Amino acid sequence: MDTPASSGSIVVQDLWKIFSRKSGISFSSSDTEDDSLVEQLDKSDDAVVAMKGVSFTVKEGETFIIMGLSGSGKSTLIRCLLRLVEPTSGDIIVNGKNVTAMSKSELVAFRRENIAMVFQHYGLLPHRTVLDNVGFGLKLRGEEKEAYRKKALGALEMVGLKGWEKYHPAALSGGMRQRVGIARALVMDAPILLMDEPFSGLDPLIRRELQDEMIRLQKEMKKTVFFVTHDLSEALRMGDRMAVMKHGEIVQIGSPDEVIANPADEYVARFVQDEREQLERTEQALAKEKQGKEAAPHVS
């Protein structure tokens, strides 16, 4: 069933994913409703319960962060949004359209028009130039060569790669390749941008530079951004809201400040401990500085 677009750009309702470790065995929505079976599967070597009843809403135009440790279900979740991984049960509703109910042809059209994705490992075509990589999605969409090349040039200029359009990916640094990946996503002009740990393989300086670039672009373009990361400092810099995952479940959703100030449980508290300690040190330093100024003799 479709829901009104005003309910949010992305609405996920009771989403489950159970992977079978044995060929020929699959699971259905009825399996997810059997609590004892789910518990049994979770402890067995026959299956992996990757997502357990995940529900959330991403508001139009916000940057929504999904974070958690390795194995928490982050990558499975983002792939389910595009049905690159088929959910076992639940609903994914994007701009009022139920993605989980789409046919294969409807899903192909939906992916081309509604969502663009930036991958962790670039996903560039090595035998094509930078310009052709950026314009490839538009070409698949059926746009004329002159039109899509013009748009691709504009996207490259937007991410600071003007003049690199004739090079091949092998000639670029890691940071530059990721900029190409971002340009390729932006040129599609999709309202929703999915980013799966896009900066995790880069050195800290390049990583921060690309974070700044995405913050700038988001202010200009105001897209809905679904951003997966395991880096809390990155989440704090980039996110309007964040969801913390553990063992396939969302354990807390809130603004980054809310999550740090009021962690929902011990797991979240440990997750944000370093940031809380740093915040406390900063507050103590500011308090000492204030006391020093108040104690200093007044000179008229």
Side-chain angles (χ1 to χ4, degrees), residues 83 85 104 159 171 188 190 195 201 264 283 296:
R83 281 178 56 193
V85 168
K104 287 186 178 181
V159 300
M188 301 301 291
M195 307 188 77
E283 290 176 346

Side-chain angles (χ1 to χ4, degrees), residues 11-205:
V11 179
V12 172
Q13 300 172 334
D14 196 26
L15 199 66
W16 288 77
K17 179 58 187 178
I18 304 176
F19 291 100
S20 174
R21 285 180 167 150
K22 292 186 175 180
S23 60
I25 298 177
S26 61
F27 300 95
S28 65
S29 58
S30 61
D31 295 319
T32 65
E33 295 168 2
D34 187 335
D35 293 342
S36 61
L37 175 61
V38 170
E39 184 177 356
Q40 180 182 343
L41 290 172
D42 213 10
K43 295 177 180 179
S44 76
D45 295 326
D46 298 334
V48 176
V49 184
M51 282 195 301
K52 306 173 186 177
V54 170
S55 298
F56 60 88
T57 297
V58 180
K59 302 171 186 176
E60 183 178 355
E62 77 171 333
T63 298
F64 188 83
I65 305 289
I66 293 285
M67 63 180 310
L69 300 177
S70 178
S72 61
K74 307 184 303 298
S75 293
T76 299
L77 174 55
I78 197 171
R79 281 161 172 74
C80 280
L81 296 183
L82 279 173
R83 281 178 56 193
L84 298 174
V85 168
E86 287 288 349
T88 302
S89 65
D91 291 300
I92 301 162
I93 299 159
V94 177
N95 291 337
K97 301 296 182 181
N98 193 331
V99 178
T100 44
M102 290 179 179
S103 65
K104 287 186 178 181
S105 59
E106 289 172 333
L107 186 59
V108 169
F110 164 80
R111 289 171 177 167
R112 289 181 179 174
E113 300 293 335
N114 291 273
I115 292 183
M117 188 162 181
V118 180
F119 299 92
Q120 179 179 349
H121 298 296
Y122 322 130
L124 304 182
L125 302 171
H127 59 287
R128 293 182 180 269
T129 66
V130 165
L131 184 64
D132 287 338
N133 265 281
V134 174
F136 190 68
L138 295 176
K139 181 180 179 181
L140 290 178
R141 191 186 282 179
E143 294 201 18
E144 295 292 333
K145 184 175 181 178
E146 184 176 344
Y148 77 68
R149 287 173 71 87
K150 183 177 180 180
K151 291 180 181 179
L153 285 170
L156 284 169
E157 184 170 2
M158 193 180 298
V159 300
L161 286 180
K162 182 179 180 181
W164 289 89
E165 56 270 9
K166 295 181 180 180
Y167 288 82
H168 284 77
L172 277 59
S173 67
M176 294 171 75
R177 292 180 196 175
Q178 195 56 283
R179 285 176 184 266
V180 175
I182 293 171
R184 182 180 56 189
L186 294 177
V187 79
M188 301 301 291
D189 199 27
I192 297 172
L193 186 61
L194 306 183
M195 307 188 77
D196 187 11
E197 301 202 52
F199 310 142
S200 64
L202 304 173
D203 67 62
L205 291 178

Side-chain angles (χ1 to χ4, degrees), residues 194-227:
L194 306 183
M195 307 188 77
D196 187 11
E197 301 202 52
F199 310 142
S200 64
L202 304 173
D203 67 62
L205 291 178
I206 298 298
R207 183 172 187 158
R208 186 175 182 86
E209 183 180 309
L210 287 179
Q211 290 170 1
D212 291 340
E213 191 74 11
M214 275 307 305
I215 291 170
R216 179 186 69 80
L217 289 170
Q218 175 63 349
K219 287 179 180 178
E220 293 178 6
M221 306 185 78
K222 296 180 173 60
K223 293 184 179 294
T224 300
V225 180
F226 188 90
F227 194 104

